[in-house]
Amino acid sequence: MNCPHCQSKNIRQIIKKTSLGYKQYRCSSCGKQYNERSGTKLNFIEYPTEVVMIAVNYYYRFKVSLDDVVQLMSMRGFYLCHQTIHNWVQIFGVELGLKLRARRKGKNGKKWNSDATYIKIEGHWRYFYRAIDKEGDLVDVYLSDVRDQVAAEAFFRQAQETTGITPEQITTDKEPALYPAIKNVFGNGTKHRDSKYMNNVIEQNHRGIKSRCRVMKGFKNIFCALVFCTAFEEMRQFFRMKNKPRAERRRMIVPRISGFYELFTVTT
């Protein structure tokens, strides 16, 4: 690895490792010493990278609270406080969500289902726009204070930028604000199919975020809600294994976790 201070390639490895077992290097150009985690947000965390990844994965992937994650980590021999877990998920959640979102660009289908659901933030209901394609894969999400044409247009523009795809067809319920929003963003080339029954597929898909937020009993801050919802949806999509038998899922989960660890280390 290059020197994080001067980007020089003229480095040499030091025999002695850090207290956590990470390799150390010394740059011959600037004379500074560093380790494998120098220059990353993990550098000053007093736990191995694997511990941070497991805690973040527990919180976003499963229906647990911060205190539940503390208990799960204590069973592994790591005694943390709930604030430490909260700091980790806030620090790494944003970058993980953005990194996972970038990996999906150009991989979605051209037939979308779109709808908005409700999430309680600071004691008030906010609107969480979501879209999935015909195969049930995530297209994009968008959190808004209001549910109107402006919010719908912002969501569709973001979805188009995220996926790099202009849909051929969008299925929605009969919300009035979506008609002009779809026409203004995508033009006449995108067919708008309005049917509550045909849009049941995304209504059922809302269960993931709704059931996860129910455990948390709402959010106290809209920024925390945005970070959590984005990271949760992206990680849910990353680990999604549709129509796979349990034996196949067990075989597939190992490379998925390995890929997530590599992504986590690169992201941080």
Side-chain angles (χ1 to χ4, degrees):
M1 57 182 298
N2 296 341
C3 174
H5 304 288
C6 65
Q7 302 300 320
S8 173
K9 297 182 180 179
N10 189 15
I11 61 173
R12 61 183 178 88
Q13 182 177 341
I14 301 175
I15 297 177
K16 185 180 179 180
K17 295 184 178 181
T18 65
S19 59
L20 296 178
Y22 293 101
K23 297 177 182 179
Q24 296 191 90
Y25 303 89
R26 185 181 297 278
C27 178
S28 300
S29 299
C30 64
K32 293 185 179 181
Q33 183 175 319
Y34 62 96
N35 61 70
E36 292 181 79
R37 303 203 302 183
S38 295
T40 70
K41 294 180 180 179
L42 290 163
N43 189 36
F44 297 102
I45 294 180
E46 298 178 356
Y47 290 92
T49 303
E50 293 84 350
V51 175
V52 182
M53 184 205 70
I54 290 171
V56 173
N57 187 47
Y58 276 159
Y59 185 72
Y60 282 118
R61 285 282 294 140
F62 306 110
K63 299 176 185 178
V64 293
S65 64
L66 292 173
D67 291 331
D68 292 333
V69 178
V70 169
Q71 293 185 32
L72 290 170
M73 297 304 293
S74 65
M75 294 173 65
R76 290 177 170 264
F78 300 99
Y79 301 98
L80 309 168
C81 71
H82 73 282
Q83 187 60 46
T84 299
I85 304 296
H86 179 267
N87 292 341
W88 287 354
V89 299
Q90 289 295 312
I91 291 171
F92 304 117
V94 176
E95 295 186 19
L96 279 171
L98 295 176
K99 190 71 174 182
L100 289 168
R101 175 182 288 181
R103 286 166 57 94
R104 299 189 295 104
K105 189 163 187 176
K107 296 181 180 179
N108 285 101
K110 293 189 175 183
K111 293 184 179 181
W112 298 356
N113 289 75
S114 179
D115 189 35
T117 187
Y118 298 90
I119 293 179
K120 184 167 286 189
I121 303 173
E122 298 179 288
H124 302 282
W125 290 109
R126 299 292 185 260
Y127 304 96
F128 189 51
Y129 286 86
R130 300 178 67 252
I132 60 176
D133 62 15
K134 187 177 180 179
E135 301 299 324
D137 293 324
L138 177 68
V139 172
D140 205 1
V141 296
Y142 181 82
L143 187 61
S144 174
D145 290 331
V146 294
R147 187 176 186 177
D148 56 11
Q149 181 181 339
V150 176
E153 288 184 9
F155 168 58
F156 288 130
R157 288 194 184 96
Q158 178 181 295
Q160 188 177 34
E161 182 179 355
T162 297
T163 60
I165 294 173
T166 299
E168 297 176 351
Q169 174 181 288
I170 298 180
T171 302
T172 68
D173 55 13
K174 297 185 178 182
E175 182 182 349
L178 296 179
Y179 292 89
I182 292 174
K183 185 175 182 180
N184 292 343
V185 175
F186 301 114
N188 296 325
T190 299
K191 178 183 177 182
H192 182 192
R193 187 174 63 169
D194 55 341
S195 172
K196 292 184 178 181
Y197 303 103
M198 293 182 179
N199 212 34
N200 279 343
V201 60
I202 193 169
E203 295 285 355
Q204 300 299 318
N205 197 266
H206 288 328
R207 290 182 177 183
I209 187 65
K210 296 289 282 187
S211 61
R212 182 63 185 85
C213 291
R214 193 174 297 117
V215 178
M216 305 172 68
K217 299 180 181 179
F219 297 92
K220 296 182 180 179
N221 182 282
I222 192 167
F223 176 75
C224 292
L226 179 61
V227 171
F228 176 83
C229 292
T230 302
F232 171 81
E233 291 285 358
E234 294 294 344
M235 288 183 64
R236 183 187 179 202
Q237 174 61 32
F238 181 78
F239 286 99
R240 183 173 182 264
M241 291 174 277
K242 181 183 178 182
N243 299 330
K244 301 290 184 182
R246 289 186 175 180
E248 184 70 10
R249 292 182 183 181
R250 287 195 298 270
R251 185 187 67 81
M252 293 176 62
I253 195 63
V254 175
R256 291 288 177 92
I257 293 176
S258 299
F260 179 72
Y261 176 74
E262 294 176 2
L263 180 68
F264 187 88
T265 53
V266 170
T267 302
T268 52

